[in-house]
Amino acid sequence: MKMRTAVFGFLLVALAAILLVAQQKGPVTAIKAGRLIDPETGAAAADQVILVEGEKIVGVGPKLAIPAGAKIIDLSQLTVLPGLVDAHTHMALTYKEQPENYYYYLTYITDSTALRAIQAASNGIQLLNSGFTVVRDVGNNALYADAALRQAIEQGWLPGPTVIPSGPMIGSTGGQYWPTPEMYKQHNIMFPEYIDANSPDEIVRAVRENMLFGARTIKLCVDCKPWGYSVEDIKLAITEAAKGGCKVEAHVQTVDGAQRSIDAGVYMIAHNSALTPEQHRQMAEKGIFLAGTDTPFMPYRGSESAFKRTVANLRDAWEKKVLLTFSTDMDYWNDRMKDPKTGEWLSRGDLTINFLETWKAAGIPPADILRAMTINGYKAADIIDQRGPIKTGAFADIIAVSGDPLADIDILRNVQFVMKNGMVFKKDGVMTPEKFFHPGPVRMPNGRWTR
Ligand SMILES: [Zn+2]
């Protein structure tokens, strides 16, 4: 009797597993690609077919048999490529020229975490519309608005890129800014933005806390203060983060801080402004990713002299073969952010893609820029085993443009088609996001609710 119950139980479990697998599959879609770019090699193949079933790619090739009843998406006049990555941005912070004169502290007071989370949701839709299917969202997002955005997109409430959130930046006393004694002692005005961690115990606790609340990467303020973090401190954060499957990005703004980060072996360094040519050489040797945050000189931001330095630094990092990512730090706003021709507001996606200006000025070839915007971005986001490259088994994150971005990288400014997780978000240059909106959570990644 016991044996029979066990067999019956086993059969029930097997049946449930089969049903679960069947549920995860969906109708097949066949995408006909006029040209398909592989950013890893910089090669393009003509007349390819991509088969998508449910959320994933199930076949790619020149003469794939299209199953009967498959939905056909005809992109035969377009160039198809994987989605783009902004490897360093802040989705839930928009500090403005008016009224706060770009003074972050005031933004923290005027914009609640809830308002900032909604701004982040809007930014996500705008970025997806410009072809960005992955963003690393690294700090200054109030009380885990970044982790909430990731959760909402993964559960299927709304469209958006795959978000790799860091939670609040971890730093030594004061974080990135210089709070007043009132702010510091109260610890509740700007402190959702930072976690103070001044000892090994506090560093371990801070890393664990961020991972508990949904971080997928850990961001350290290495040298935001003169007392900063030592090589041992950084190594401790790396070891602890690894236990939760997270890699460490170091914010650096001094040569010394950069050197400590390199010596400790961080995964990624944010901001190129303090790095020396010798440090670029060491980063290339050690395989450390760079999120340079290479601000262009635009009517709404920057100066000519700063731009020249930014371009020279990016050029040097490229010459030294550092693992470059496309990264922006795009978290500000003013009323000059308009298209000079039409007078219309630029979207968050337009403002992000404008960083191409720095890469072009540095004379970096389109194939290398595209690799930074895709393959290196997926690696830096630590998701390349799941999504990014257009290959069998990967999530279907696919974009298309008219023209050849390997000849003219500005073609990326005009994204005609976007698919995210196998669902069409944009077609013929028009957003069609209705399939992404649900009145409840419809997806449970890994078969469970995600924190
Ligand atoms: Zn930043």
Side-chain angles (χ1 to χ4, degrees), residues 88-90 138-140 169 176 219 251 270-271 293 329 331:
H88 183 121
T89 191
H90 305 279
V138 283
N140 292 123
M169 271 185 253
Q176 199 174 2
K219 173 102 174 277
H251 165 109
H271 313 303
T293 60
D329 232 353
D331 53 8

Side-chain angles (χ1 to χ4, degrees), residues 270-281:
H271 313 303
N272 195 6
S273 52
L275 296 170
T276 65
E278 164 57 19
Q279 288 175 331
H280 285 154
R281 191 194 62 72

Side-chain angles (χ1 to χ4, degrees), residues 144 176 372 412:
Y144 298 94
Q176 199 174 2
L412 293 180

Side-chain angles (χ1 to χ4, degrees), residues 307-351:
F307 182 58
K308 277 185 180 158
R309 283 195 303 276
T310 304
V311 167
N313 287 346
L314 179 57
R315 174 84 195 179
D316 187 74
W318 175 75
E319 284 176 355
K320 300 288 193 314
K321 298 189 164 47
V322 177
L323 294 169
L324 300 179
T325 64
F326 185 81
S327 60
T328 64
D329 232 353
M330 187 65 236
D331 53 8
Y332 39 86
W333 191 83
N334 61 54
D335 62 8
R336 297 182 300 288
M337 289 173 166
K338 288 182 177 173
D339 184 324
K341 285 181 204 139
T342 64
E344 288 183 12
W345 292 110
L346 297 170
S347 75
R348 173 69 177 244
D350 298 331
L351 295 164

Side-chain angles (χ1 to χ4, degrees), residues 139-322:
N140 292 123
N141 287 309
L143 216 45
Y144 298 94
D146 52 345
L149 177 65
R150 171 179 75 75
Q151 198 176 20
I153 292 168
E154 284 182 3
Q155 291 185 356
W157 288 95
L158 79 171
T162 296
V163 178
I164 309 296
S166 72
M169 271 185 253
I170 299 169
S172 50
T173 295
Q176 199 174 2
Y177 299 117
W178 297 88
T180 60
E182 288 80 0
M183 292 163 87
Y184 186 77
K185 299 281 186 194
Q186 293 294 322
H187 230 264
N188 61 6
I189 294 181
M190 58 163 264
F191 276 90
E193 304 292 327
Y194 302 96
I195 301 180
D196 279 345
N198 284 298
S199 65
D201 279 356
E202 287 178 1
I203 290 170
V204 168
R205 184 190 170 87
V207 170
R208 288 180 185 177
E209 213 170 278
N210 272 349
M211 295 193 297
L212 179 67
F213 295 139
R216 291 282 163 86
T217 184
I218 295 297
K219 173 102 174 277
L220 282 189
C221 262
V222 166
D223 56 359
C224 296
K225 293 289 176 287
W227 39 91
Y229 285 139
S230 67
V231 172
E232 286 65 39
D233 292 335
I234 302 168
K235 281 185 174 169
L236 176 62
I238 293 170
T239 304
E240 198 58 32
K243 294 177 188 169
C246 289
K247 305 282 201 316
V248 170
E249 173 176 3
H251 165 109
V252 305
Q253 57 197 54
T254 65
V255 174
D256 282 356
Q259 195 58 50
R260 294 198 298 274
S261 303
I262 294 168
D263 291 346
V266 296
Y267 194 65
M268 188 168 197
I269 288 181
H271 313 303
N272 195 6
S273 52
L275 296 170
T276 65
E278 164 57 19
Q279 288 175 331
H280 285 154
R281 191 194 62 72
Q282 292 175 34
M283 285 175 71
E285 195 180 281
K286 284 195 156 191
I288 298 172
F289 288 94
L290 174 62
T293 60
D294 316 285
T295 303
F297 179 34
M298 306 301 281
Y300 53 82
R301 190 74 171 181
S303 68
E304 195 154 13
S305 56
F307 182 58
K308 277 185 180 158
R309 283 195 303 276
T310 304
V311 167
N313 287 346
L314 179 57
R315 174 84 195 179
D316 187 74
W318 175 75
E319 284 176 355
K320 300 288 193 314
K321 298 189 164 47
V322 177

Side-chain angles (χ1 to χ4, degrees), residues 36-44 367-368 371 375 406:
L36 178 62
I37 292 181
D38 176 2
E40 177 95 65
T41 59
D368 288 0
R371 197 172 301 115
I375 301 296
L406 292 171

